[in-house]
Amino acid sequence: MQIKKAVIPVAGFGTRFLPITKALPKTMLPIVDKPAIHYLVEEAVNSGIAEIIIITGQDKKPLEDYFNRSKALENHLINTGKLDLLEMIKKISSMAEIHFVTQEEVLGLGHAIYCARRFMNKDEAFAVLLGDDVVVSIEPCISQLIKVFNNYQASIIGVQNVPNSEVSKYGIVSGHNVTDRLVKVGDLVEKPDEESAPSNLAILGRYIIHSEIFDILRALRPGAGGEIQLTDALKELNKTQEVYSYIFQGTRYDTGNKLGHLKATIDLALQDETIGHDFKNYLIKMTSHSR
Ligand code: G1P
């Protein structure tokens, strides 16, 4: 089995980022000069994925516009001789085969993933990259998980340790270590209390999932927060086949909230070839004054 498809769920009202998300889907907010969704698609493409299914809310038009070709803009760039910019924007439209699916009702992450079922074969595994989670790493995060999948042919959940005080924000896994970074999953729980959390290994928005998950999701009842939870479906899957979690390398940002989005912006601006150097000097100057 090879991983050739990715699902990127981006539906949700973006309430942590109001008021801008009243008019713009949260994954269209820029991190330096590209929308957050660009980094996710790029991560998938750089991991060998050719087909991407984006699950949107009712506001998919800006996303479609971003990935579709714009003949008018292309002609303008040709006529004005801006051929480097022309190349750049044409590349965006040819990155991958992208399908958009509207999640008619916001019933939870599990339901969003279920909306991708018609794109998957019976015996297949696919990648999932959550729209709010941007990971900056040397090797793309999903590529790290695909490598593990290639060895085990089992579902793999991307995790990292978080402080105990933060476990209630995440799906938490526990199990026993196979290697330093690989844990065979024993249990999974969505957003546990600090006191009852089985570990502090948090699911951070990257998965490789076997397509059998769709049969489970079809029958799943709402869990935490009254939503159909992907974590609950994975817990069911773990009863019939092996599921692993992998402590990936890289920095994960929750770009669905203001602080996380700003941290990602600063990290990626510092790495930017055109502004990185000047921006670093500016930050040094800013932080050396007590304000
Ligand atoms: C979702 C998942 C959760 C995971 C988190 C990572 O929660 O349900 O298991 O830990 O994403 O960002 P959400 O943040 O959508 O509530």
Side-chain angles (χ1 to χ4, degrees):
M1 254 192 277
Q2 276 202 330
I3 309 298
K4 287 284 161 212
K5 297 173 194 162
V7 180
I8 307 183
V10 302
F13 292 110
T15 45
R16 292 180 299 164
F17 231 125
L18 279 168
I20 181 63
T21 44
K22 187 163 176 273
L24 200 65
K26 56 184 170 174
T27 43
M28 283 305 291
L29 297 178
I31 301 176
V32 191
D33 55 358
K34 293 182 221 138
I37 187 74
H38 185 115
Y39 294 92
L40 294 168
V41 169
E42 203 167 53
E43 179 186 330
V45 169
N46 290 340
S47 305
I49 285 166
E51 197 175 339
I52 294 175
I53 300 106
I54 300 182
I55 314 292
T56 69
Q58 301 294 337
D59 51 358
K60 66 178 172 185
K61 178 92 175 41
L63 286 138
E64 284 179 333
D65 288 348
Y66 185 75
F67 288 105
N68 284 343
R69 287 182 71 169
S70 162
K71 277 280 169 206
L73 176 60
E74 285 179 24
N75 286 339
H76 170 73
L77 294 174
I78 293 168
N79 294 338
T80 51
K82 295 181 177 145
L83 300 184
D84 46 343
L85 292 179
L86 178 71
E87 274 317 297
M88 183 218 271
I89 64 141
K90 277 171 77 176
K91 222 168 127 189
I92 295 170
S93 313
S94 59
M95 274 164 97
E97 186 183 338
I98 300 182
H99 310 279
F100 292 93
V101 177
T102 306
Q103 185 185 10
E104 296 295 343
E105 287 173 282
V106 182
L107 298 177
L109 177 59
H111 178 256
I113 301 301
Y114 186 64
C115 293
R117 65 194 178 281
R118 70 185 165 90
F119 292 93
M120 304 300 168
N121 300 318
K122 260 256 159 270
D123 196 19
E124 183 168 11
F126 56 95
V128 172
L129 297 86
L130 300 190
D132 282 349
D133 300 74
V134 168
V135 179
V136 177
S137 55
I138 297 167
E139 177 178 3
C141 180
I142 209 71
S143 163
Q144 297 176 42
L145 300 197
I146 289 174
K147 276 191 182 156
V148 183
F149 174 84
N150 289 343
N151 278 334
Y152 290 84
Q153 296 286 314
S155 299
I156 317 284
I157 306 171
V159 294
Q160 282 186 340
N161 287 295
V162 297
N164 291 339
S165 58
E166 288 187 18
V167 290
S168 62
K169 294 203 294 197
Y170 300 105
I172 299 294
V173 306
S174 61
H176 69 264
N177 276 76
V178 180
T179 66
D180 278 359
R181 293 193 169 272
L182 190 67
V183 174
K184 184 167 180 314
V185 173
D187 199 12
L188 298 107
V189 48
E190 180 68 9
K191 305 200 173 84
D193 298 336
E194 197 176 329
E195 298 72 39
S196 60
S199 84
N200 61 353
L201 272 185
I203 303 173
L204 294 184
R206 294 293 182 274
Y207 313 75
I208 306 293
I209 305 180
H210 197 279
S211 60
E212 209 164 288
I213 201 83
F214 295 119
D215 290 337
I216 295 170
L217 285 168
R218 184 178 302 121
L220 199 67
R221 305 204 153 266
E227 298 190 336
I228 309 283
Q229 296 291 352
L230 181 60
T231 304
D232 295 346
L234 289 164
K235 188 182 166 91
E236 280 303 305
L237 188 70
N238 194 36
K239 290 179 183 164
T240 56
Q241 49 179 262
E242 291 186 342
V243 176
Y244 291 85
S245 60
Y246 182 73
I247 305 173
F248 62 83
Q249 284 171 299
T251 307
R252 170 262 184 191
Y253 297 98
D254 177 2
T255 58
N257 75 62
K258 283 182 271 191
L259 186 59
H261 185 269
L262 281 172
K263 287 180 182 173
T265 302
I266 289 176
D267 188 346
L268 288 159
L270 286 170
Q271 293 180 31
D272 187 280
E273 276 177 17
T274 53
I275 61 163
H277 178 75
D278 289 349
F279 184 54
K280 185 176 178 183
N281 287 339
Y282 174 72
L283 283 184
I284 291 169
K285 203 171 116 203
M286 283 281 286
T287 48
S288 63
H289 297 304
S290 51
R291 310 186 114 239

